[in-house]
Amino acid sequence: MRPTARFLGVFLTVTLLLASFATQAFAKNPNCSDVGGAILTNVGGFGQIDSHLTTLGIATGDLKGAIGVEIQGINSSSTVFTVQHHWVTDTGETLTIDQAQAKGMFVASGLLAITEYKFHLSGGTGRFANATGDLSAIGELDFNTGNAILRYSGQVCSSAQEKRDGKD
């Protein structure tokens, strides 16, 4: 093989390799961060709001702080819950979470496995003022003891303007 052809082959291989790395780097939104943690609450934690049951507890991980959930509706088989979150981080910022549905199935008497729970962050205060995000959780609610534990994960994105202003 001639040296020129060999050089061209190596050059082409290196160029394609670098291009594939660059594509992956540019594909990821630099204004977004992966988040995760756990939610531990007590069913009935702060009584009832407009005759709706509540939970009260803590969130750990990237969004750690206090969390309460108002259970606004339950389907007839008690496996789909319409909920409204009330979330305040340890630094005093609030998270605005859209109304969500937690879906599950009973795995034992009074024990509900949460199998699908997607929720959307649509802002808040402080560094979350213009943030958006999609998160999901799995876990269980034990109606026998009143305990609930969930594992959440997802992505939170801040606006590009906040990054430029140094607010992140």
Side-chain angles (χ1 to χ4, degrees):
M1 187 174 203
R2 293 184 7 213
T4 305
R6 194 175 326 176
F7 173 76
L8 185 59
V10 170
F11 177 75
L12 186 58
T13 302
V14 169
T15 301
L16 290 173
L17 184 62
L18 291 174
S20 72
F21 289 139
T23 301
Q24 292 173 4
F26 288 120
K28 191 166 185 173
N29 187 337
N31 298 321
C32 297
S33 300
D34 291 332
V35 296
I39 298 169
L40 298 89
T41 66
N42 293 324
V43 178
F46 60 97
Q48 294 189 357
I49 297 175
D50 296 330
S51 72
H52 298 145
L53 194 59
T54 63
T55 72
L56 181 63
I58 62 165
T60 67
D62 298 305
L63 302 175
K64 76 179 179 175
I67 185 169
V69 174
E70 178 185 350
I71 301 172
Q72 296 181 326
I74 304 172
N75 74 342
S76 61
S77 64
S78 299
T79 57
V80 179
F81 296 81
T82 302
V83 299
Q84 184 62 58
H85 296 84
H86 306 280
W87 200 320
V88 180
T89 67
D90 277 356
T91 57
E93 298 158 313
T94 59
L95 304 178
T96 302
I97 308 286
D98 297 347
Q99 187 181 67
Q101 287 194 327
K103 300 174 183 176
M105 60 189 290
F106 281 96
V107 294
S109 178
L111 187 60
L112 182 74
I114 300 296
T115 57
E116 184 181 334
Y117 188 4
K118 296 178 183 193
F119 49 102
H120 179 74
L121 170 71
S122 58
T125 63
R127 66 187 165 122
F128 298 102
N130 295 309
T132 61
D134 289 304
L135 299 101
S136 63
I138 58 169
E140 70 178 29
L141 275 78
D142 187 341
F143 293 106
N144 301 311
T145 63
N147 297 324
I149 185 163
L150 300 152
R151 176 78 171 101
Y152 73 88
S153 62
Q155 194 172 66
V156 173
C157 302
S158 61
S159 71
Q161 183 64 39
E162 286 177 329
K163 288 281 190 181
R164 284 191 297 273
D165 292 345
K167 293 181 181 175
D168 187 33

